[in-house]
Amino acid sequence: SSDLLVVMSNLFSLTEGHLALSERREFRTVPLVKLGNGFTKVRDFLHRFESIPDLLELDHLTVSGDVTFGKNVTLKGTVIIIANHGDRIDIPPGSLLENKIVSGNLRIHDH
């Protein structure tokens, strides 16, 4: 699932049946992505993302626990998101996380 996130992101494009790393990525390496157990099944993986985050400037991502991502999220640098056991973290739509550690729980409700 970690590879699936990277391949589905804006880091790659499909050209004539071949995956190509985006020219917009400053470094020609692929970020290190580690997703927890809640992302192992494709159905569960897809349910956790309203849209695939912008990863063009990401170096390292670790996600553990019950975490969901809203639309138009951008991840840059090193981002670590850890939901405590029994808690949930919802990354709000339009969020920019750059060199951040998010832990505990975070739920945002419409009113």
Side-chain angles (χ1 to χ4, degrees), residues 22-73:
S22 173
E23 294 295 325
R24 296 182 356 210
R25 179 149 171 93
E26 186 175 344
F27 302 105
R28 305 310 300 162
T29 59
V30 177
L32 177 61
V33 175
K34 297 179 183 177
L35 301 177
N37 293 338
F39 294 82
T40 53
K41 294 182 181 176
V42 173
R43 182 186 70 212
D44 296 338
F45 170 90
L46 293 174
H47 177 72
R48 294 187 176 279
F49 295 97
E50 284 187 48
S51 66
I52 300 298
D54 176 338
L55 305 182
L56 278 176
E57 297 180 46
L58 181 71
D59 298 320
H60 174 221
L61 173 65
T62 297
V63 180
S64 178
D66 189 2
V67 178
T68 61
F69 294 81
K71 289 183 180 181
N72 302 317
V73 171

